[in-house]
Amino acid sequence: MTRFVIRSLFSAIITMLVVSLLLFFMVEYGRGDVTVKILGIESTAEQRESYRNQLGLNQPPMQRYFTWLAGNDWWLERRVGVPITSLRNPQTGEPEWWAVIDGTYQRWQMDDGELFVLTRQENGSTTRMPADESVWFTADDGTEQFWGLNNNNAVVRWIRGGSEIQVRTTAGFRREGDSPVEFIPLSKGLLRGDPGESLRTGRPVAASLPGRIQKTGILASLAFIVVMPLALLFGIIAGVNEGRFLDRFISITGLGLTSTPEFVTGMVLILIFGIWLKWLPAVSVFFSNQSIVELLSSWDSAKILVLPVLTLTAIELGYVARMTRASMVEVMNSSYIRTAIIKGLPYRSVVMRHAVRNALIAPITVIMLHVNWLVGGIVIVEVVFGYPGLGTYIYDSAIFGDFNAVEAAAMVTVAIAVITRIIGDVAYVMLNPRIRYS
């Protein structure tokens, strides 16, 4: 068993690396020009090219992939010439990159042709002083250049005199002289918990993704708690009553629920309970800073989860119940069950102690696979109800072309998929000791 788990974990790591590479390039070549979505169709080609440079999108795809995966701070330190580190902003709580020089944390800023050094104070504020002229070096082409960190968490290269780019501001674009000519956004990489900055929100993905995962986790957990016991119960009842009215009613009802698309089920529930009867909220919108504990603390706030959970329950209930029913029928027709009944054992005892345990071996695979579906595949349900979870996050990011956010969120679902597969394999042994893995 131990060797099997180790091999499974190693296989899971290889799988995730391959998926990350395929995912990166599918998003890379399928997203289009994201600068058009950020700047608008009225932007000029020069403005888009300038902004693409500022976002670091002009770097080779493989370099950006390894930056996204393993980060680039470890090699950009050599480019800057001093150690660099990430510190939390006391006001926003989000990470900021600083150069470490003589025990102080510094950045640089060019203003009216003069280079200034920004020194971080203990309270998070900065002081500004003119930089020493010795920081400039003469390049092979005779220009004076300097590598440093700017206020946008990027390692940049300034050329003194003559360099000019289009800089995006809240009021639009303006030309800025003595601006950096090369931008390399800093990142620790996905393996160290930093998948980069969201192009859609301008915030680090690592700052917004955990809250979305938590919200989807709560929704998926509630659906799992409701649907799995009911599905197993109905499947067992249908299997025990094979061919009878109860079996056919459960099977037909389950098939109808499973075959109905999620958005149709959700719309019908919204129409009945949210609009006609007005028993439940038609949408699941709540404040972004509202915690799950606050959400579940009272019925008035928690009832916004009822319709999404019912939608997920309707989809899953029939599928798992029919799988359980088929497995139960097969077990009930086996020779050892018939022998136990002929020997006079109570029918209830035969079903509960012998049949159910063996009948669960097949459905456990479906259940483990659907844990991953509940977390990563409820995009439609979350979009229909306006629920701010991981599914909505993936949808909005994919529509925008925010590759950092899409890739990080997708890797979360991949990780859940491989973990649940391993848990499902281990559960086989717990249900049937005859199964062994070497």
Side-chain angles (χ1 to χ4, degrees):
M1 172 63 74
T2 303
R3 292 175 59 188
F4 167 76
V5 172
I6 293 175
R7 286 204 309 268
S8 297
L9 291 175
F10 180 76
S11 174
I13 294 172
I14 299 299
T15 300
M16 293 183 66
L17 287 175
V18 173
V19 170
S20 70
L21 184 62
L22 295 175
L23 179 65
F24 181 88
F25 284 98
M26 283 192 294
V27 176
E28 170 68 23
Y29 292 105
R31 59 180 168 82
D33 189 355
V34 71
T35 58
V36 175
K37 299 177 182 179
I38 299 176
L39 305 180
I41 58 175
E42 298 84 5
S43 59
T44 66
E46 181 186 8
Q47 291 171 341
R48 292 195 292 270
E49 180 60 30
S50 177
Y51 199 55
R52 193 177 296 111
N53 180 33
Q54 296 171 52
L55 294 174
L57 299 181
N58 56 349
Q59 300 170 14
M62 285 303 299
Q63 179 179 334
R64 287 194 289 109
Y65 169 73
F66 284 111
T67 295
W68 170 75
L69 184 65
N72 57 8
D73 56 311
W74 49 277
W75 67 268
L76 286 177
E77 284 188 350
R78 298 194 299 271
R79 186 71 58 88
V80 179
V82 294
I84 55 180
T85 188
S86 178
L87 302 173
R88 292 283 177 183
N89 184 299
Q91 282 75 39
T92 64
E94 296 179 359
E96 296 178 340
W97 287 95
W98 296 85
V100 183
I101 301 177
D102 297 329
T104 63
Y105 303 104
Q106 298 181 6
R107 287 174 168 176
W108 291 268
Q109 182 182 48
M110 185 73 79
D111 193 2
D112 292 331
E114 184 176 1
L115 185 66
F116 291 88
V117 59
L118 308 178
T119 304
R120 188 178 190 271
Q121 307 299 305
E122 291 185 0
N123 60 359
S125 63
T126 59
T127 59
R128 192 172 90 152
M129 295 182 60
D132 195 306
E133 289 293 319
S134 62
V135 300
W136 294 94
F137 69 93
T138 303
D140 294 338
D141 58 1
T143 58
E144 290 186 287
Q145 301 187 14
F146 170 67
W147 282 95
L149 275 69
N150 68 357
N151 286 327
N152 294 324
N153 294 318
V155 169
V156 298
R157 178 167 61 95
W158 280 282
I159 295 180
R160 173 178 279 178
S163 61
E164 185 180 72
I165 65 169
Q166 295 259 10
V167 178
R168 182 174 183 247
T169 66
T170 55
F173 272 88
R174 64 179 173 85
R175 290 187 175 273
E176 184 176 287
D178 292 307
S179 300
V181 296
E182 186 175 351
F183 296 80
I184 308 177
L186 277 159
S187 173
K188 289 184 177 179
L190 181 68
L191 296 178
R192 289 186 286 166
D194 179 17
E197 186 177 277
S198 170
L199 302 181
R200 182 171 59 91
T201 64
R203 297 183 59 210
V205 175
S208 54
L209 193 57
R212 296 300 190 106
I213 296 174
Q214 183 189 45
K215 291 180 176 64
T216 293
I218 291 296
L219 182 61
S221 298
L222 291 175
F224 186 85
I225 292 172
V226 172
V227 69
M228 293 310 170
L230 288 177
L232 293 176
L233 176 63
F234 290 149
I236 292 171
I237 293 175
V240 171
N241 296 276
E242 180 187 7
R244 300 176 185 174
F245 170 78
L246 199 56
D247 173 31
R248 301 193 182 281
F249 176 79
I250 293 175
S251 299
I252 294 173
T253 303
L255 181 61
L257 292 174
T258 302
S259 60
T260 304
E262 299 97 319
F263 67 91
V264 174
T265 303
M267 291 298 183
V268 170
L269 292 177
I270 290 174
L271 186 64
I272 296 175
F273 296 102
I275 297 178
W276 292 349
L277 300 178
K278 299 185 184 300
W279 289 355
L280 297 167
V283 293
S284 300
V285 178
F286 53 91
F287 296 110
S288 58
N289 59 353
Q290 186 179 11
S291 67
I292 292 297
V293 176
E294 295 173 343
L295 180 66
L296 299 177
S297 60
S298 65
W299 167 249
D300 290 336
S301 58
K303 62 185 180 181
I304 67 175
L305 299 176
V306 174
L307 290 184
V309 169
L310 286 179
T311 303
L312 294 172
T313 300
I315 299 166
E316 290 292 291
L317 184 64
Y319 191 77
V320 179
R322 286 176 62 83
M323 287 290 297
T324 307
R325 183 255 181 200
S327 181
M328 194 69 186
V329 168
E330 181 181 357
V331 171
M332 290 299 295
N333 290 328
S334 60
S335 58
Y336 72 93
I337 293 294
R338 291 196 300 269
T339 302
I341 295 175
I342 293 173
K343 291 174 64 176
L345 291 177
Y347 187 77
R348 181 178 185 141
S349 176
V350 172
V351 171
M352 299 304 297
R353 295 186 59 183
H354 302 284
V356 170
R357 181 185 180 95
N358 292 303
L360 290 179
I361 295 177
I364 198 68
T365 306
V366 178
I367 292 174
M368 287 298 104
L369 290 176
H370 279 246
V371 169
N372 176 61
W373 184 90
L374 284 171
V375 174
I378 57 177
V379 177
I380 296 176
V381 174
E382 291 188 354
V383 171
V384 167
F385 290 96
Y387 187 80
L390 183 63
T392 306
Y393 187 79
I394 294 175
Y395 173 80
D396 293 338
S397 300
I399 293 297
F400 189 85
D402 189 354
F403 54 88
N404 283 337
V406 172
E407 291 155 5
M411 288 307 298
V412 171
T413 64
V414 173
I416 294 173
V418 296
I419 291 173
T420 52
R421 181 184 65 82
I422 295 174
I423 294 175
D425 291 340
V426 173
Y428 282 143
V429 179
M430 297 177 62
L431 290 172
N432 190 348
R434 293 175 299 176
I435 299 176
R436 290 289 182 266
Y437 299 100
S438 59

